[in-house]
Amino acid sequence: MTDRLPQACRALRVTRADLVDAVCELSGRPTPPRGAHPVRALYLRVLEAVGTTAPGALQPGDISAAANVRSGVLDVQVPGPSEVAAQYIEQLVDDLGIGDLAQLAHHAALTREEAAEGAATVLGFAGPDLEEPLCELGAHSLVDDIAERPPQHWGRLHTQAVRAALYLCLADLADALLDASESTPTPLRWRSGTEQGQESAEACVSGVRRHVLVDRAAALPPREMPVWSRPDVAPVQFAWRWQLRPGASEPITHGCGTFPTPFAARHAAECAITAMAAGRCEL
């Protein structure tokens, strides 16, 4: 086991067996089936590859940036280790046969927006060009064609578009691991709040006891549904936020959001409490 993986396990307070699920929650991805499932095994290979990078060598977002550079969406300099990780992710996806590729896209709950990003790179519409009506229409037409055909009837453009979208999805997963392994959260004891879905905890910041609340963020559109429907993905999904409630003499509530899951919001709140207590950030 590499140094980065146990550090992420400690930060997220999970066992090695549950690390894939925790990282999926941080990135907003559905967790793959338990046991010896090929999607879970592939996710673990991605995390193990990223886990070999030295602490501090990469920052969250570096691997997604490298994946976008390789796709032609960005033209920036990226750290060498992130380029290596992005190339490894590409190789993992490129090695998948059509059946395994479709299974990965299904279990990753690939959305139409994500698939359109992949289609845009394959069609040569990278970056801001996707905002042009004709380019956007072409990308979404290809996604519609992908969704309507069984995988065994996909052509070269269909498979390339799905692979390109999955490069970015797995890069997000890798960046979630970087985020967890570089973080130093303050463990809080969370309990159910007054409303459904709410969770609350108490934290001491600069000698003052504060009330921390995680709940649904208001007035946000639901997450786009996957290209292929999944019974375990709710048709309406919510974004989440955390709030730091003030003391009796303070009229302002401080908050931060949004996050894809309550787990991600709790983790972000615990990391923020650590930074506040150390004087690295202010309310």
Side-chain angles (χ1 to χ4, degrees):
M1 196 172 185
T2 61
D3 291 337
R4 194 180 283 277
L5 295 187
Q7 188 173 342
C9 289
R10 288 191 296 270
L12 299 174
R13 300 198 295 283
V14 297
T15 65
R16 168 67 182 267
D18 294 325
L19 181 59
V20 167
D21 302 290
V23 173
C24 284
E25 285 208 55
L26 281 186
S27 62
R29 288 281 155 201
T31 57
R34 304 289 296 188
H37 193 276
V39 172
R40 180 173 290 273
L42 187 141
Y43 282 3
L44 185 57
R45 289 179 67 183
V46 170
L47 300 188
E48 288 175 338
V50 178
T52 62
T53 62
L58 293 175
Q59 296 298 317
D62 282 350
I63 298 179
S64 293
N68 277 295
V69 168
R70 293 183 64 82
S71 298
V73 177
L74 291 177
D75 183 16
V76 296
Q77 292 292 322
V78 294
S82 66
E83 165 69 17
V84 172
Q87 186 174 10
Y88 178 76
I89 288 171
E90 281 191 18
Q91 190 60 57
L92 282 178
V93 176
D94 289 346
D95 285 345
L96 296 176
I98 191 66
D100 290 334
L101 181 68
Q103 183 175 223
L104 175 59
H106 174 80
H107 283 285
L110 195 67
T111 67
R112 287 184 174 272
E113 181 181 358
E114 291 166 338
E117 290 182 10
T121 62
V122 169
L123 295 173
F125 307 143
D129 289 342
L130 186 55
E131 300 300 322
E132 295 296 329
L134 289 179
C135 298
E136 185 176 4
L137 179 62
H140 283 281
S141 293
L142 181 56
V143 173
D144 289 339
D145 204 28
I146 292 170
E148 292 169 0
R149 296 186 183 206
Q152 61 268 29
H153 292 157
W154 286 352
R156 180 180 58 84
L157 285 180
H158 303 105
T159 56
Q160 285 181 341
V162 173
R163 291 186 200 278
L166 289 172
Y167 299 154
L168 302 179
C169 291
L170 294 180
D172 287 342
L173 199 72
D175 278 324
L177 175 70
L178 288 180
D179 188 17
S181 63
E182 297 283 346
S183 66
T184 54
T186 297
L188 300 179
R189 182 174 295 178
W190 296 93
R191 57 186 181 276
S192 297
T194 55
E195 298 180 15
Q196 184 178 9
Q198 281 187 345
E199 295 178 85
S200 61
E202 299 295 324
C204 188
V205 183
S206 301
V208 179
R209 186 154 294 276
R210 306 275 184 159
H211 182 71
V212 188
L213 177 70
V214 166
D215 65 355
R216 291 175 180 174
L220 285 175
R223 185 177 184 271
E224 189 176 342
M225 285 300 293
V227 176
W228 301 277
S229 60
R230 285 186 51 177
D232 56 334
V233 176
V236 177
Q237 297 191 7
F238 298 92
W240 298 81
R241 65 183 174 188
W242 66 265
Q243 293 180 308
L244 193 64
R245 295 293 176 90
S249 62
E250 298 174 85
I252 301 175
T253 296
H254 305 278
C256 188
T258 57
F259 302 93
T261 64
F263 179 84
R266 291 196 304 268
H267 177 69
E270 292 177 342
C271 290
I273 295 299
T274 301
M276 293 173 189
R280 297 198 301 269
C281 70
E282 298 180 356
L283 298 177

